[in-house]
Amino acid sequence: MELNLERPLVFFDIESTGLNIATDSIVELSFVKALPGVSEPLIKTWRVRPWDYENNCQRPINPSAMEVTGITNEELINEKCFWEIAHEVAQ
């Protein structure tokens, strides 16, 4: 499908440790960016180590969220925390 764009268009998807926006964290963030005059979109995905700043430890993924995303706590142990990738995401 060809898009006739005048400005860039970005789609994004977030996977998280659960559904509570006050206490849950992002574990995966993906962007698809379509640019005017460019046939192939730019695609970028980051895995993110969810961090509990109050307790200074990795935030566990809710088992029901794990079922939906297929992402486990063990897979995120060596990933960067969000604050470590925030500058790259903002770009």
Side-chain angles (χ1 to χ4, degrees):
M1 177 172 88
E2 186 175 324
L3 298 174
N4 185 15
L5 298 175
E6 294 179 16
R7 298 184 308 199
L9 178 63
V10 175
F11 301 90
F12 66 94
D13 180 54
I14 295 172
E15 303 299 344
S16 67
T17 58
L19 298 175
N20 187 323
I21 62 171
T23 59
D24 286 312
S25 300
I26 294 170
V27 296
E28 188 174 79
L29 180 60
S30 295
F31 289 93
V32 176
K33 185 174 185 178
L35 299 165
V38 178
S39 60
E40 292 295 319
L42 303 172
I43 301 170
K44 178 68 179 171
T45 299
W46 296 268
R47 283 278 173 103
V48 182
R49 184 177 182 190
W51 197 253
D52 181 336
Y53 294 94
E54 289 181 15
N55 297 307
N56 200 30
C57 63
Q58 182 171 324
R59 184 183 308 277
I61 301 172
N62 183 300
S64 60
M66 214 179 307
E67 285 181 34
V68 172
T69 65
I71 300 170
T72 66
N73 292 303
E74 294 75 23
E75 291 176 303
L76 301 174
I77 288 173
N78 295 318
E79 298 295 340
K80 294 179 180 178
C81 294
F82 187 81
W83 65 268
E84 295 174 290
I85 65 164
H87 180 71
E88 183 182 355
V89 172
Q91 288 180 334

